[in-house]
Amino acid sequence: MTRFFTKRTVILALSAFVLLLFAYMTYQTPLAGDDWGYALNGMSGHPLELVKGFYMTWSGRIFSELWGFLAAPNKWVWNIVNPLCFAGIYLAMNRLTQSRNHWFLCALLLLAGMLSVDDNLRMETYSWLMGETYVIPLALSMLYLCAADGLIREDYPSRTTKVLALLSNLALFVTGLMMENIAAAMLAGTVVLCIYTYCLHRRIFPYFLLNFAVITVAFVILRLSPGAAARAARDSAVWANMSLFEKIASAYPNFLQMTFINNNYAIGLFAVCCSTVLLLKRKRSLAIRLPLLLVQALAVFTVFSFVLFKGENPFTDGGSLYSMIFWPVYTVCTFLTFFASFEEGIFRDKVVFLLGLAGLCGVVMLYSPIYGSRSALYTVYFLLVTAALLLDSVDLPKWTALLLLVLFTVIIGDRTHEYLSKYRLVGETYRERTEILQYYREHPEDKEAWIPRFPVFTVHGGDIEPDDTYHLETFKEYYQLPQDADKIIFYFKDSE
């Protein structure tokens, strides 16, 4: 019986759970928002020609655009790729953690964190076809980091490890041509790894130098897109004319909101793990550890303070003076926690590196006119891996381990129930919509169409507001509705 509860089998079982849960969510979720336009483009032109045109007129995200043109007209592709990506991400996170002391708790922590992301982030990445353009780079960057970790950890890397390290360049190249913030973070990460291996592991330095060259080429191609430059000048003219300081200052409150405040479970779980380290690793005196512990406790209070306050809440407002001061202080104190709790060595280097990647993925967005919830995906996931590393580094008393086991299990159970309930309703609403749309296709004389909205916090872009002319046109064309329909009204069913 014991062999069925080994580390390998349990993590594989949990990965299968992730696969099945995301398969259900993906299957139930229809195309929405930008998906309609990509589907129409993909059905009417050759994908490579379309990518070339978009590079010159719209975006340098070559592989992101290619994904849209290939997958949107063939939703079954997304039905397969999305659950496989998240199951692979979960496996890679466990592989990066390399947990030994508390591998089961770490596996549950990672799963609890995955299922507890902000609603907007979930809608824009977990269950949106074009949101997959954020998920695929996350999966590929995790695979790259696993290969890099294996190369550094082995004193004399095996042939298999070397081959995987070389193949990981493909993951880097695709990542670099899909999303700007993860591409920039991976570029900076390869620079750090080049310096690190040149100083401490010179025999594997050439592998990381090649990584740097590959991601640099991809990033340059991405940034040199004429279409992306023209789009920024056209759609964000005010932002484009700002100075660097003005751009950062204007984006700073939103950066705090999207990076820290909205990701309350990720920050909360991370702060709990930091607090556990400070309490149980007594490498420094209490006088040093106590202020750091208070800051971590304050972080947990801050991100969950919405439970106590109704109306305006300075703790959860990225533009408040409190937020602008506290979160930079929290970041500094977190790094101080690492240096106060761990001896110099590969473990501390790894923790600092991963937390640095998490922060950099958010900091890059300070130089962007738009920072949506989906852009925080990378910060959240690197933060979760760092939290698992911290949890595995301490000797937990039995009562503490039991308390954490209960906490993570309750979160997983609650989030799973919510996901199943929400996406069951999504599927039911979509099937109802399908029948209604069929009616309007067969009765073009009805110029006013009433379409039920999806339940709140379920489908990103599934409903169209009256002033959104682009999505209204693509919706009518995708579902073959009469283009001369006077009104298409999306309504909440409980308002009938």
Side-chain angles (χ1 to χ4, degrees), residues 327-364:
W327 290 112
V329 170
Y330 174 77
T331 302
V332 172
C333 287
T334 298
F335 279 103
L336 289 176
T337 296
F338 298 163
F339 288 102
S341 304
F342 303 109
E343 299 289 348
E344 184 178 348
I346 191 169
F347 178 82
R348 192 176 77 180
D349 294 341
K350 184 176 180 178
V351 169
V352 171
F353 176 75
L354 287 171
L355 185 63
L357 281 183
L360 188 58
C361 287
V363 168
V364 169

Side-chain angles (χ1 to χ4, degrees), residues 365-437:
M365 298 306 296
L366 287 171
Y367 189 72
S368 173
I370 301 172
Y371 186 179
S373 297
R374 53 189 175 267
S375 297
L377 180 71
Y378 313 112
T379 297
V380 168
Y381 272 72
F382 288 133
L383 203 61
L384 290 174
V385 175
T386 309
L389 282 165
L390 296 176
L391 181 62
D392 194 57
S393 70
V394 294
D395 295 323
L396 293 174
K398 288 185 178 180
W399 68 269
T400 306
L402 181 60
L403 184 64
L404 291 175
L405 177 65
V406 171
L407 174 64
F408 300 155
T409 303
V410 168
I411 292 173
I412 292 167
D414 177 68
R415 297 293 92 186
T416 300
H417 177 264
E418 182 177 334
Y419 280 25
L420 292 174
S421 299
K422 282 189 172 182
Y423 289 96
R424 175 181 56 79
L425 291 174
V426 167
E428 291 174 358
T429 305
Y430 179 61
R431 287 186 285 275
E432 181 182 357
R433 273 192 177 193
T434 301
E435 295 177 2
I436 293 171
L437 292 169

Side-chain angles (χ1 to χ4, degrees), residues 246-304:
E246 288 173 331
K247 289 176 180 176
I248 293 174
S250 66
Y252 184 57
N254 192 49
F255 159 76
L256 296 177
Q257 194 77 40
M258 296 298 177
T259 304
F260 297 100
I261 299 169
N262 287 0
N263 298 305
N264 47 13
Y265 274 91
I267 295 295
L269 290 170
F270 178 75
V272 165
C273 292
C274 286
S275 300
T276 304
V277 167
L278 287 167
L279 284 169
L280 299 178
K281 273 192 171 294
R282 300 171 185 176
K283 183 171 173 286
R284 303 292 181 186
S285 67
L286 184 62
I288 294 176
R289 290 185 289 119
L290 185 58
L292 298 175
L293 188 60
L294 290 174
V295 170
Q296 295 297 333
L298 187 54
V300 176
F301 167 80
T302 299
V303 293
F304 288 107

Side-chain angles (χ1 to χ4, degrees), residues 99-166:
S99 53
R100 291 182 176 84
N101 298 324
H102 312 294
W103 62 266
F104 186 57
L105 277 179
C106 290
L108 292 182
L109 165 66
L110 294 172
L111 182 55
M114 285 181 69
L115 300 183
S116 303
V117 297
D118 173 56
D119 280 328
N120 289 301
L121 190 154
R122 169 180 51 79
M123 291 190 296
E124 295 176 14
T125 55
Y126 286 24
S127 56
W128 184 36
L129 187 144
M130 283 311 297
E132 196 73 18
T133 60
Y134 292 80
V135 175
I136 293 173
L138 174 61
L140 293 176
S141 64
M142 287 286 184
L143 289 175
Y144 166 72
L145 291 173
C146 285
D149 186 53
L151 198 63
I152 291 172
R153 279 183 172 277
E154 295 183 18
D155 292 332
Y156 296 95
S158 65
R159 180 177 297 179
T160 301
T161 301
K162 292 177 180 179
V163 169
L164 290 174
L166 290 172

Side-chain angles (χ1 to χ4, degrees), residues 175-253:
T175 297
L177 285 168
M178 288 199 79
M179 204 54 58
E180 287 85 352
N181 62 331
I182 187 63
M186 287 294 104
L187 176 58
T190 56
V191 171
V192 172
L193 290 172
C194 279
I195 296 171
Y196 181 80
T197 53
Y198 182 81
C199 295
L200 299 176
H201 305 275
R202 194 164 296 187
R203 65 179 176 279
I204 58 172
F205 166 71
Y207 290 91
F208 292 96
L209 188 61
L210 179 60
N211 293 160
F212 169 71
V214 168
I215 189 63
T216 299
V217 169
F219 187 71
V220 168
I221 294 172
L222 177 74
R223 295 297 298 164
L224 289 181
S225 165
R231 178 185 173 192
R234 181 185 68 248
D235 298 344
S236 306
V238 174
W239 177 86
N241 290 325
M242 291 180 178
S243 67
L244 177 61
F245 178 79
E246 288 173 331
K247 289 176 180 176
I248 293 174
S250 66
Y252 184 57

